[in-house]
């Protein structure tokens, strides 16, 4: 645009404070060269959801919500304005073939990780079905992987009733020999949100379950410390899967499967803060944010905040 004072492109903010850098400005489009640090990859898929979901819109909205925050942490007295978040963009889904889309996610994420071995991928769903693809790709590149899953649900449903969906990712990974059950730790599993058959499947396969009663009684930090200790002695790296419906409905109105009795946002924030300090944690996804159901982008805003906390506390 011509250099005319006070004349800005329509897409730019109408007010610019010279003392503030917005976190959204940290996003740098991948130029094809090997990147380091945090890398965002969008996996916009929600046709595989067993209930109505607009989670495919979440990657775009979460990126926009980064502009709601500044780059300065008052708690750490640290400014991230010189740190780049590499944005690899969104993977294009197939219009009608869901299995092709899931396979495409594996191939693309695997290629990105192979070409950028030093990044810490943060995959933005999408519904929780995308975790089967992202973790499979992660395992192919990084070797044996342990999973810390924040979730109200086991996501171990059978594949016969509805095929691979947002209720089946961890069953797919176990039955596909991508992970061992003993390398999966579930945190935040809630009452009246699961079936006995799937709790029994978890136990039979050695999955460690921490219900919300466990979280409330023991504290999330203690559980996470024990989880990291357990996993890092058995696997090459740890991947964190954050299903936002682990949160109580008061904190995440933009989830397709909201419910009472979940974690507080502070519980989850502190959990991500701790995990980001662990060198063995080398990847994360954030799933089940539906902007069409959200109130004032509360849930998308929290997802963006988790990315910043993960970035802030990396070693």
């Amino acid at each position: 645009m011509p250099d005319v004072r006070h004349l800005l492109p329509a897409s730019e903010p109408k007010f610019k404070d010279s003392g503030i850098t917005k976190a959204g400005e940290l996003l740098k489009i991948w130029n094809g060269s090997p990147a380091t640090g945090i890398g965002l990859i969008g996996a916009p898929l929600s046709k595989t959801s067993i209930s109505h979901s607009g989670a495919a819109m979440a990657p775009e909205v979460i990126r926009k919500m980064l502009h709601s925050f500044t780059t300065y942490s008052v708690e750490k007295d640290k400014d991230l304005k010189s740190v780049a978040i590499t944005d690899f963009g969104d993977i294009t889904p197939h219009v009608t073939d869901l299995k092709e889309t899931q396979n495409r996610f594996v191939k693309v994420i695997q290629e990105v990780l192979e070409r950028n071995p030093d990044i810490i991928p943060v995959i933005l769903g999408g519904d929780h079905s995308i975790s089967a693809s992202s973790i499979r790709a992660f395992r192919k590149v990084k070797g044996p992987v342990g999973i810390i899953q924040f979730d109200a649900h086991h996501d171990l449903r059978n594949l016969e009733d509805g095929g691979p969906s947002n209720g089946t990712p961890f069953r797919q990974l176990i039955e596909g020999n991508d992970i061992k059950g003993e390398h999966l730790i579930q945190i935040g599993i809630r009452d009246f949100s699961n079936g006995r058959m799937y709790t029994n499947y978890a136990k039979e396969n050695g999955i460690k379950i921490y219900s919300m009663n466990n979280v409330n009684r023991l504290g999330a930090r203690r559980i996470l410390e024990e989880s990291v200790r357990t996993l890092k002695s058995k696997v090459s790296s740890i991947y964190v899967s954050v299903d936002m419906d682990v949160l109580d409905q008061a904190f995440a109105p933009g989830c397709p499967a909201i419910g009472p009795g979940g974690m507080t946002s502070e519980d989850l924030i502190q959990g991500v803060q701790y995990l980001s300090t662990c060198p063995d944690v080398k990847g994360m996804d954030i799933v089940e944010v539906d902007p069409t159901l959200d109130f004032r982008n509360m849930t998308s805003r929290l997802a963006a905040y988790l990315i910043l906390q993960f970035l802030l506390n990396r070693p």
Side-chain angles (χ1 to χ4, degrees):
M1 284 191 67
D3 185 15
V4 178
R5 192 181 180 200
H6 305 310
L7 184 64
L8 296 172
S11 60
E12 291 191 8
K14 299 298 183 281
F15 176 74
K16 175 70 176 175
D17 188 322
S18 60
I20 294 287
T21 303
K22 292 292 189 178
E25 297 175 48
L26 301 180
L27 294 175
K28 307 299 180 187
I29 297 173
W30 184 43
N31 62 11
S33 300
T36 59
I38 302 295
L40 293 188
I41 306 172
L45 176 65
S46 52
K47 289 180 180 179
T48 41
S49 179
I50 59 177
S51 59
H52 170 77
S53 175
M57 302 177 189
E60 178 183 358
V61 177
I62 293 170
R63 287 184 179 95
K64 287 180 180 178
M65 288 303 101
L66 285 168
H67 290 277
S68 301
F69 301 103
T70 73
T71 57
Y72 175 65
S73 165
V74 67
E75 298 287 358
K76 300 278 188 180
D77 190 24
K78 180 179 178 181
D79 202 318
L80 298 174
K81 64 182 178 182
S82 62
V83 178
I85 299 175
T86 303
D87 192 343
F88 291 91
D90 293 346
I91 306 168
T92 306
H94 192 282
V95 176
T96 57
D97 191 334
L98 298 181
K99 289 188 177 180
E100 162 58 26
T101 296
Q102 293 168 334
N103 291 332
R104 187 179 297 181
F105 283 3
V106 176
K107 293 174 184 175
V108 172
I109 295 170
Q110 181 178 349
E111 182 175 349
V112 169
L113 294 178
E114 288 173 341
R115 293 177 61 179
N116 299 270
D118 295 324
I119 66 162
I120 306 295
V122 176
I123 316 297
L124 302 179
D127 65 33
H128 216 161
S129 71
I130 68 99
S131 296
S133 300
S134 61
I135 293 169
R136 182 166 290 133
F138 189 86
R139 191 268 305 163
K140 286 175 179 284
V141 178
K142 303 292 186 182
V145 58
I147 313 297
I148 294 176
Q149 173 193 354
F150 289 97
D151 208 328
H153 311 94
H154 292 304
D155 287 355
L156 296 168
R157 290 176 186 261
N158 73 80
L159 291 156
E160 290 73 28
D161 288 339
S165 71
N166 66 335
T168 66
F170 298 102
R171 191 175 191 125
Q172 290 171 251
L173 290 166
I174 291 170
E175 297 187 354
N177 295 316
D178 290 292
I179 64 170
K180 294 181 178 179
E182 65 187 85
H183 298 163
L184 173 59
I185 298 175
Q186 302 184 325
I187 300 173
I189 301 298
R190 281 214 297 273
D191 253 358
F192 307 113
S193 300
N194 298 278
R196 175 179 282 140
M197 184 167 84
Y198 301 122
T199 298
N200 288 342
Y201 179 90
K203 292 175 180 177
E204 289 164 5
N205 283 274
I207 297 168
K208 181 66 176 177
I209 301 169
Y210 289 101
S211 69
M212 272 310 303
N213 182 56
N214 298 138
V215 173
N216 293 331
R217 183 168 51 85
L218 300 174
R221 176 63 177 262
R222 178 177 164 186
I223 290 171
L224 288 170
E225 288 175 350
E226 177 62 29
S227 298
V228 170
R229 249 190 327 268
T230 298
L231 290 175
K232 73 179 185 179
S233 65
K234 299 178 179 179
V235 297
S236 300
S237 56
I238 297 171
Y239 180 104
V240 179
S241 185
V242 180
D243 185 328
M244 295 293 278
D245 70 25
V246 75
L247 295 164
D248 187 275
Q249 60 192 4
F251 301 98
C255 287
I258 61 170
M263 294 175 71
T264 68
S265 56
E266 187 60 23
D267 286 336
L268 184 56
I269 290 165
Q270 290 185 8
V272 169
Q273 286 173 336
Y274 167 70
L275 290 169
S276 70
T277 67
C278 301
D280 296 284
V281 173
K282 297 180 180 177
M284 178 171 75
D285 65 45
I286 301 174
V287 299
E288 297 293 346
V289 176
D290 182 349
T292 69
L293 298 174
D294 215 354
F295 175 72
R296 297 195 64 189
N297 293 314
M298 281 175 59
T299 316
S300 297
R301 202 179 301 261
L302 177 53
Y305 191 77
L306 292 176
I307 295 169
L308 292 176
Q309 289 295 339
F310 192 70
L311 176 63
L312 175 66
N313 292 282
R314 286 304 298 174

